[in-house]
């Protein structure tokens, strides 16, 4: 079916917009405000990641350059989930690096949680899960239970919404 009515979007971005509209009203400025807040969070998490590799004020250079690049900052004014996807990718990278430093299980859980939200924003990232598990297994020598802890939020969030989509729409495609 080639009609626009048959196209379904992943559920997280419409939920974020609906919350913004419910609180502040249905205005384009609300979307710009949400995107600006998400953009500031992207730059902050990028700074947290760059602190792992660069010392002192040099850690501010990657977020500054990324913030000044028009190709990324233009997404504030476009109604698309790209900024939200950037934020969740950076959160996954941050929590994976933190797990590598401290070997704390909460960072493994938060890495899985960020991947599950990323899947609900852009379902193509479902293909990232096996790659991330293999990366964690070889890089950090994970036990089976830590792999389960990583996969648990993905199975609960993405799996339950996929089953809901099957029940409502007749397909396992993640959609709202």
């Amino acid at each position: 079916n080639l009609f626009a009515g048959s196209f379904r979007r992943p559920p997280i971005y419409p939920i974020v917009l609906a919350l913004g509209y419910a609180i502040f009203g249905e205005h384009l400025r609300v979307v710009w405000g949400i995107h600006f807040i998400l953009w500031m969070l992207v730059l902050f998490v990028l700074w947290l990641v760059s602190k792992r590799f660069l010392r002192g004020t040099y850690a501010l250079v990657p977020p500054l350059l990324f913030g000044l690049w028009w190709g990324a900052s233009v997404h504030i004014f476009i109604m698309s989930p790209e900024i939200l996807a950037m934020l969740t990718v950076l959160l996954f990278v941050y929590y994976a690096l933190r797990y590598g430093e401290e070997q704390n299980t909460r960072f493994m859980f938060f890495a899985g949680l960020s991947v599950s939200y990323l899947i609900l924003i852009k379902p193509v990232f479902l293909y990232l899960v096996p790659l991330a598990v293999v990366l964690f297994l070889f890089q950090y020598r994970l036990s089976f239970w830590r792999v389960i802890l990583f996969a648990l939020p993905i199975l609960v969030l993405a799996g339950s919404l996929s089953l809901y989509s099957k029940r409502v729409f007749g397909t396992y495609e993640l959609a709202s």
Side-chain angles (χ1 to χ4, degrees), residues 2-20:
L2 297 176
F3 295 108
S6 67
F7 179 74
R8 292 182 295 278
R9 291 184 162 264
I12 291 295
Y13 186 66
I15 290 171
V16 169
L17 289 182
L19 287 174

Side-chain angles (χ1 to χ4, degrees), residues 22 29 51 66 107 118-119 122 126-127 137 153 155 164:
R29 293 183 304 261
K51 275 191 346 181
F66 192 63
F107 296 124
L118 183 60
I119 291 168
K122 298 233 176 236
L126 190 57
Y127 296 116
L137 282 174
L155 292 172
Y164 171 77

Side-chain angles (χ1 to χ4, degrees), residues 18-154:
L19 287 174
Y21 289 155
I23 295 171
F24 300 110
E26 293 184 25
H27 303 287
L28 185 59
R29 293 183 304 261
V30 172
V31 177
W32 292 348
I34 290 170
H35 284 196
F36 183 75
I37 291 168
L38 290 172
W39 181 245
M40 291 297 111
L41 288 172
V42 163
L43 295 178
F44 177 72
V45 175
L46 183 60
W47 172 69
L48 290 176
V49 170
S50 68
K51 275 191 346 181
R52 304 266 176 261
F53 302 103
L54 303 170
R55 298 289 172 232
T57 56
Y58 292 115
L60 294 172
V61 173
L64 176 68
L65 292 177
F66 192 63
L68 292 175
W69 181 49
W70 70 271
S73 58
V74 75
H75 287 288
I76 294 173
F77 302 105
I78 298 173
M79 285 189 67
S80 71
E82 303 303 324
I83 292 180
L84 195 55
M86 278 189 262
L87 179 63
T88 53
V89 166
L90 283 170
L91 284 172
F92 167 69
V93 169
Y94 173 73
Y95 287 127
L97 290 173
R98 286 295 302 265
Y99 178 79
E101 290 174 358
E102 298 181 22
Q103 302 291 319
N104 192 332
T105 57
R106 74 172 177 228
F107 296 124
M108 179 61 62
F109 178 77
F110 287 140
L113 192 63
S114 25
V115 168
S116 66
Y117 280 117
L118 183 60
I119 291 168
L120 294 178
I121 295 166
K122 298 233 176 236
V124 72
F125 281 100
L126 190 57
Y127 296 116
L128 173 71
V129 175
L131 182 66
V133 168
V134 168
L135 172 83
F136 280 134
L137 282 174
F138 287 117
Q139 182 70 26
Y140 302 126
R141 310 282 188 242
L142 290 180
S143 68
F144 174 74
W145 296 110
R146 295 218 176 173
V147 171
I148 294 297
L149 187 65
F150 173 75
L152 186 66
I154 299 167

